[in-house]
Amino acid sequence: MHSRGRVLRFAAVMAAVVLALTGFSSGRHHSSGRHKSSHSDSDGGGGCSSSRQDHDSYSTGGGSGSGSGSSSSRTRVLRDGSVRLVRCATRTDPYSTAEVTNPNSRAGTFKVSFSFEDKDGHLLSVEYPEVTVPAKGTETVRVKASTALLEHLDHCQVEPEADRVS
């Protein structure tokens, strides 16, 4: 009988370890990635298993003890912004312009990728300006092309997503 008690105790400890390592929590659902749904943040309907409708993802800290996952240990994770090219630099106006949109519910800084190419599609230059965009807002970012670049520039492009910096 003595060994049966050890086996049961070992099984209970292993179950607790498995639950701790798999992120078992007491009642709050937290996803490690972006919650996927077919509705926009503004429609307020369905799609989430919790009553909280803030779709910014969270990273939770802490271990398996009580209190892990409390609001004080949560950190908001910003999503990447979207970018739209407004205009490419020309000899009369040497600035390339793009609009960066922030999908997050707080302000963030984003890095935009502008690439400049000649008429044959050869890459002449790449610029990575950063821009701070207000929550749910849009901000304009401009990059000045040098005179030497303008002599060979045929077209420019932006990456459709701006990497979040902070």
Side-chain angles (χ1 to χ4, degrees), residues 59-143:
S59 168
T60 60
S64 61
S66 66
S68 70
S70 68
S71 61
S72 63
S73 66
R74 268 191 236 157
T75 306
R76 285 186 183 243
V77 177
L78 292 175
R79 293 176 288 177
D80 290 341
S82 59
V83 183
R84 182 181 73 85
L85 180 65
V86 175
R87 65 179 313 278
C88 193
T90 63
R91 287 189 175 130
T92 57
D93 184 2
Y95 290 92
S96 291
T97 307
E99 289 182 344
V100 181
T101 301
N102 180 359
N104 301 292
S105 59
R106 67 176 180 147
T109 301
F110 300 89
K111 185 183 289 187
V112 181
S113 175
F114 279 89
S115 58
F116 301 92
E117 299 176 0
D118 67 12
K119 66 180 178 176
D120 297 321
H122 296 114
L123 186 64
L124 300 171
S125 178
V126 179
E127 299 290 330
Y128 300 99
E130 292 184 3
V131 61
T132 300
V133 185
K136 304 284 185 186
T138 300
E139 197 65 48
T140 301
V141 60
R142 298 179 72 191
V143 173

Side-chain angles (χ1 to χ4, degrees), residues 23-30 50-52 58 68-71 74:
F24 179 79
S25 67
S26 58
R28 295 274 320 206
H29 168 73
H30 296 288
S50 71
S51 61
R52 191 161 192 273
Y58 291 93
S68 70
S70 68
S71 61
R74 268 191 236 157

Side-chain angles (χ1 to χ4, degrees), residues 1-11:
M1 279 306 215
H2 188 63
S3 66
R4 184 173 182 201
R6 282 187 186 168
V7 170
L8 288 174
R9 187 173 14 181
F10 178 75

